[in-house]
Amino acid sequence: MSSHGTDLRPASAPSPIRTVLVGCGEHARVVNHAALSLIPDIEVVAVCDLDPTRARDAARQFGNCPHFTDLGALLSKTNAEAAVIIGPPHVHADIAATCLEAGLHVFVEKPLFTNLDDLARLSELAAAQPGLNISVSFNKRYAPYICRIKEILANESFGKPSYLYAKFAGGYRNGPTDLLRVGAIHYFDLARHLFGDIARVSALPYQKQAGQAHIAVNLQFASGAVGNFFLSSLGLWSAKGAEYLELRGDRNFITLDNLREFTWQKPPIAIRDSGSTHQAGIEVPAPAEYLEPNYSNISMLEYQSNHQNGYFARIEAFVADLRSGRQTGPGLGDAERALKTALAIETSMASDGAYVDLQTAATPQPALREPA
């Protein structure tokens, strides 16, 4: 709307998507709700949280829309098309199922589910209602420098992607299951997004106590590329380098630190004969490409954390999918592969590092050995 109250959108512009927000905790309001408020194609028509104060405060952000503490009441009294769900991980699947049964498209913060039973239940609902969009956030795919990496990997000069290293080392977790099925699945999805399907994994843990562990993972992709994950809940979220990526191709590589500091060491400009029998050639180095956000003008959306972490662009993609009737963003199948990677790592840890094949039809759901 203009300052005079005139709607400047073209007459043919579709109406905003009527959306309910389920879950109004700190992460939901500070991150997801903030991004949603900047997208004109979303109209928030109601919010819901078990805590009435949180629900009321969230409603104020969206024009004092109706707020509820009971999901059933919200769904029965609200005419909505979509639901955005951000809550404790263990309730995501139940809330998503309820919203799907009510005929709503759903966008769910990761993880969509944490066990195979919930995967099976949501898969049945998806098959019964194929017209509904089931989206999972996996927002790191949409971070600007991840998008740049995706472009470079498709560039002939990068060569065949051959090695990936990913570090996810955040703060305290409730246990190794929480680290793998809730936190690190971001990087299981990201590795697959960049390098293709993971074929097999081998993992060994160091556990100080429940909720504090290092996990070292060897992996091989279906393409033949290899890699490593370093996953940890012995780190600190506030520490630099809590998240890190390195990707290698033929004679060049990319690094990305905390989604913010990007380097591409490009292939050599030329390689000349060394005149030596023990050195194949002498490289004429190419300039490296360095990218880092310029925080001198942080009022611009492009410099905000919401944009740098991919939240804003991910929700934009969800809206675009609803408009087109197609699903291009990560959904049920991507959430399944991320969960099964976590389960395979758990199985390997419980088997003293034995390799576990992710390409077999059955995926066990192991019981982890807790530290002594």
Side-chain angles (χ1 to χ4, degrees):
M1 301 287 285
S2 75
S3 59
H4 300 291
T6 303
D7 191 340
L8 300 179
R9 292 177 302 175
S12 59
S15 299
I17 296 164
R18 296 174 57 83
T19 304
V20 295
L21 309 182
V22 184
C24 302
E26 181 177 0
H27 177 77
R29 291 185 58 204
V30 173
V31 178
N32 302 82
H33 293 187
L36 284 159
S37 69
L38 299 172
I39 298 177
D41 273 352
I42 290 283
E43 178 188 0
V44 175
V45 295
V47 301
C48 183
D49 194 279
L50 292 175
D51 185 319
T53 301
R54 289 201 302 245
R56 183 196 63 219
D57 290 347
R60 287 175 179 163
Q61 187 175 355
F62 298 98
N64 283 318
C65 65
H67 58 279
F68 298 83
T69 56
D70 179 77
L71 179 59
L74 176 145
L75 294 174
S76 66
K77 296 178 180 180
T78 305
N79 177 23
E81 302 165 76
V84 173
I85 300 164
I86 307 107
H90 66 279
V91 304
H92 282 171
D94 282 342
I95 296 173
T98 300
C99 291
L100 288 168
E101 288 166 348
L104 273 62
H105 304 287
V106 297
F107 178 94
V108 187
E109 178 60 278
K110 64 83 190 165
L112 178 55
F113 35 66
T114 59
N115 59 70
L116 294 175
D117 290 340
D118 283 337
L119 163 61
R121 179 164 56 132
L122 290 181
S123 296
E124 287 181 8
L125 284 170
Q129 302 206 58
L132 293 181
N133 183 303
I134 303 175
S135 283
V136 62
S137 61
F138 286 140
N139 52 282
K140 293 186 192 295
R141 287 192 187 196
Y142 295 81
Y145 296 157
I146 293 295
C147 294
R148 177 66 182 129
I149 288 173
K150 189 74 171 172
E151 291 174 358
I152 293 169
L153 294 182
N155 190 311
E156 187 176 341
S157 65
F158 186 80
K160 182 179 179 180
S162 55
Y163 175 77
L164 178 144
Y165 169 76
K167 176 170 68 170
F168 180 83
Y172 178 84
R173 295 275 177 175
N174 291 328
T177 296
D178 184 62
L179 171 61
L180 293 168
R181 302 189 198 182
V182 176
I185 61 164
H186 259 313
Y187 279 86
F188 304 155
D189 176 72
L190 204 52
R192 178 173 164 266
H193 176 61
L194 296 171
F195 267 44
D197 286 337
I198 298 172
R200 60 179 187 148
V201 298
S202 166
L204 290 171
Y206 164 80
Q207 297 186 57
K208 180 179 179 181
Q209 59 189 39
Q212 292 186 299
H214 295 315
I215 303 174
V217 185
N218 290 326
L219 58 145
Q220 185 172 40
F221 294 88
S223 66
V226 295
N228 303 101
F229 291 134
F230 171 64
L231 314 171
S232 178
S233 51
L234 275 165
L236 298 171
W237 281 117
S238 58
K240 181 177 172 61
E243 298 185 36
Y244 182 83
L245 270 174
E246 180 174 325
L247 308 95
R248 290 185 174 266
D250 297 337
R251 306 181 73 81
N252 68 133
F253 65 91
I254 302 166
T255 63
L256 183 62
D257 193 351
N258 278 359
L259 296 178
R260 299 294 195 278
E261 299 174 27
F262 167 97
T263 303
W264 178 21
Q265 179 53 65
K266 299 180 180 181
I269 294 173
I271 302 175
R272 58 185 173 84
D273 189 352
S274 68
S276 168
T277 57
H278 66 272
Q279 184 173 349
I282 297 176
E283 297 177 357
V284 180
E289 179 179 329
Y290 294 98
L291 298 173
E292 185 175 359
N294 176 2
Y295 291 107
S296 64
N297 188 355
I298 59 172
S299 63
M300 293 181 67
L301 173 63
E302 288 78 11
Y303 298 151
Q304 302 297 317
S305 180
N306 265 332
H307 191 275
Q308 289 296 316
N309 287 333
Y311 289 103
F312 180 80
R314 176 63 189 101
I315 296 173
E316 276 195 317
F318 174 63
V319 171
D321 278 353
L322 294 188
R323 292 293 194 213
S324 69
R326 298 181 298 114
Q327 181 147 0
T328 62
L332 188 66
D334 302 286
E336 175 182 357
R337 289 176 179 88
L339 172 64
K340 288 185 175 179
T341 301
L343 297 178
I345 291 171
E346 293 176 20
T347 299
S348 178
M349 289 195 306
S351 306
D352 296 321
Y355 271 97
V356 177
D357 188 349
L358 275 82
Q359 297 182 313
T360 56
T363 301
Q365 187 162 287
L368 286 183
R369 295 181 304 204
E370 295 298 332

